[in-house]
């Protein structure tokens, strides 16, 4: 199969490029010779999106540990260009975490999801946001060891607050087992955050959100994460979590190789405004913004990765850099960058055709148009 169009590679745009697909893999990427086009003239061909932080979508949720719910959420986001994703849970009792791990491990094996992300429960009460405070607790290496063993490689990332007792030991444990340790929902000082990074944390969970705010005399976790050369900073580009000026500033500091667009989407993504639920808490969506019914904290988003990419371009990023934020950098952050996340020979043939105004036209996963 040959796909011709404006191809976005990790470093450039091939204005009239040709992607050759053999089976499930990209065989070659080159300037195009005249031949029949398989995409509309002027359309973009970008790598399939990689969302490392998503709780649900299309009326389905990852947070309950139910396989059919997970399949529905994954299918919704696949239709919007996300060909690789982590199923993100919220703070929960250990029993739910364990049952979800066992239930989702086969989905990882089938390629429905790329792994499990536990956002919590080892988080700060002060900065818990929409997380249920009833389930927050100190970090437990016993729990984490059990979950990692039960998942057989399915547990891919864990978000925790480095200031909680046991957190540094937990980070070191995760790193030893090849699991990404992420810092988020934290009231840590700058120094405590740097200790977490030194212990091995390599992702900042939705940076700025759910964190002690930066101050010029007390920089806190935001400055520590943005400045750390080993940390990829998640950013929610929906206009509600971050002002566009903040998004532009953050990506200028990190560069495209250390910023990852995420959706942080919950089940209401793609659905009408109304009443929903996230981790057992009531959520109301108004004008596309999800907030707790009680207290008004932002409760995830209704974002898709395609919409996040459009916003990144809107604030001034090039299409190449925006595609890197949506695909290449998050893939590398969770250790799958040698398989997905770029239009490059040898990688899985995950492609998204975008119109001139960056709307999804069609999606290819593993060499097959969906």
């Amino acid at each position: 199969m040959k796909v011709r169009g404006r191809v976005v590679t990790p470093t450039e745009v091939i204005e009239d490029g040709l992607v050759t697909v053999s089976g499930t893999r990209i065989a070659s990427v080159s300037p195009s010779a005249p031949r029949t086009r398989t995409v509309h003239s002027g359309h973009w061909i970008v790598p399939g999106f990689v969302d490392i932080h998503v709780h649900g979508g299309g009326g389905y949720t990852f947070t309950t540990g139910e396989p059919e719910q997970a399949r529905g959420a994954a299918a919704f986001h696949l239709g919007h260009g996300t060909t690789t994703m982590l199923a993100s849970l919220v703070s929960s009792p250990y029993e739910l975490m364990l049952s979800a791990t066992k239930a989702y491990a086969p989905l990882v094996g089938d390629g429905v999801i790329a792994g499990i992300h536990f956002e919590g429960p080892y988080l700060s009460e002060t900065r818990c946001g929409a997380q249920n405070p009833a389930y927050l607790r100190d970090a437990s290496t016993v729990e984490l060891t059990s979950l990692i063993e039960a998942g057989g490689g399915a547990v891919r990332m864990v978000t925790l607050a480095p200031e909680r007792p046991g957190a540094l030991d937990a980070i070191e444990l995760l790193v030893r087992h090849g699991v990404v340790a992420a810092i988020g929902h934290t009231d840590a000082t700058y120094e405590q955050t740097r200790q977490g990074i030194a212990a091995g944390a390599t992702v900042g969970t939705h940076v700025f959100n759910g964190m002690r705010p930066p101050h010029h005399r007390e920089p806190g976790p935001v400055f520590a994460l943005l400045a750390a050369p080993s940390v990829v900073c998640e950013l929610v580009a929906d206009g509600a979590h971050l002002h566009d000026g903040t998004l532009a500033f953050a990506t200028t500091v990190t560069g495209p190789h250390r910023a990852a667009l995420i959706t942080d989407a919950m089940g209401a993504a793609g659905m009408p405004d109304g009443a929903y639920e996230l981790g057992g808490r009531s959520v109301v969506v108004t004008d596309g913004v999800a907030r707790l019914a009680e207290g008004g904290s932002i409760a995830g988003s209704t974002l898709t990765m395609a919409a996040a990419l459009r916003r990144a371009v809107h604030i001034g990023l090039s299409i190449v850099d925006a595609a890197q934020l949506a695909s290449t950098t998050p893939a590398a952050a969770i250790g799958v960058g040698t398989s997905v996340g770029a239009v490059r020979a040898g990688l899985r043939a995950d492609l998204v055709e975008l119109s001139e105004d960056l709307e999804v036209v069609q999606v290819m996963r593993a060499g097959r148009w969906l």
Side-chain angles (χ1 to χ4, degrees):
M1 181 188 303
K2 299 181 186 297
V3 181
R4 181 182 176 187
R6 301 165 73 186
V7 180
V8 178
T9 74
T11 58
E12 64 180 340
V13 173
I14 302 177
E15 289 291 349
D16 190 13
L18 184 70
V19 181
T20 303
V21 175
S22 177
T24 63
R25 299 282 166 180
I26 297 172
S28 64
V29 182
S30 62
S32 177
R35 65 188 68 219
T36 301
R37 292 178 184 268
T38 57
V39 301
H40 188 278
S41 177
H43 283 196
W44 299 96
I45 300 297
V46 301
F49 306 135
V50 179
D51 193 352
I52 62 176
H53 188 155
V54 52
H55 299 288
Y60 299 94
T61 184
F62 289 125
T63 62
T64 58
E66 299 171 79
E68 291 311 307
Q69 286 283 318
R71 288 183 182 276
F76 168 79
H77 285 286
L78 180 59
H80 290 269
T82 300
T83 52
T84 301
M85 70 198 82
L86 297 186
S88 297
L89 281 80
V90 292
S91 294
S92 309
Y94 168 72
E95 292 75 19
L96 175 56
M97 297 172 73
L98 182 61
S99 64
T101 300
K102 293 177 179 178
Y104 287 173
L107 301 187
V108 177
D110 291 343
V112 177
I113 56 175
I116 300 165
H117 164 215
F118 289 116
E119 187 183 11
Y122 316 125
L123 308 176
S124 164
E125 286 92 348
T126 304
R127 306 293 175 186
C128 66
Q131 301 274 339
N132 193 329
Y135 300 136
L136 302 183
R137 51 192 183 272
D138 290 340
S140 169
T141 55
V142 173
E143 285 186 359
L144 288 172
T145 299
S146 174
L147 294 168
I148 292 168
E149 291 176 351
V155 179
R156 181 72 72 169
M157 185 163 74
V158 176
T159 293
L160 41 66
E163 73 274 18
R164 288 207 74 125
L168 298 183
D169 288 340
I171 292 172
E172 292 173 354
L173 172 76
L174 293 169
V175 173
R176 285 199 306 272
H177 285 86
V179 179
V180 176
I183 291 175
H185 286 285
T186 175
D187 197 42
T189 63
Y190 180 83
E191 291 74 20
Q192 288 171 322
T193 307
R194 285 174 58 87
Q195 289 174 354
I197 295 168
T202 54
V203 168
T205 296
H206 46 50
V207 172
F208 292 96
N209 299 114
M211 294 182 177
R212 177 193 292 233
H215 184 279
H216 57 283
R217 285 190 291 271
E218 295 180 8
V222 172
F223 280 22
L225 293 166
L226 289 176
S230 60
V231 171
V232 170
C233 296
E234 295 181 351
L235 301 168
V236 187
D238 64 350
H241 281 75
L242 299 175
H243 186 283
D244 285 347
T246 304
L247 178 64
F249 166 76
T251 56
T252 300
V253 174
T254 61
H257 63 291
R258 284 207 308 109
L261 296 177
I262 61 164
T263 63
D264 196 18
M266 46 91 72
M271 302 295 286
D273 285 357
Y276 294 89
E277 179 269 344
L278 178 65
R281 309 197 77 185
S282 296
V283 174
V284 176
V285 177
T286 304
D287 295 330
V289 178
R291 295 184 179 275
L292 288 182
E294 182 178 349
S297 292
I298 290 179
S301 85
T302 61
L303 191 62
T304 65
M305 286 294 285
L309 179 140
R310 286 193 295 273
R311 195 164 202 107
V313 173
H314 171 75
I315 67 165
L317 270 68
S318 70
I319 186 68
V320 173
D321 286 352
Q324 184 164 351
L325 266 65
S327 304
T328 315
T329 299
I334 61 169
V336 297
T338 57
S339 301
V340 298
V343 183
R344 181 187 297 130
L347 272 61
R348 194 172 73 195
D350 292 354
L351 306 174
V352 181
E353 178 188 349
L354 300 175
S355 65
E356 290 93 335
D357 55 1
L358 304 182
E359 296 286 343
V360 173
V361 177
Q362 58 180 340
V363 180
M364 174 186 287
R365 190 176 191 276
R368 184 174 67 89
W369 291 113
L370 305 175

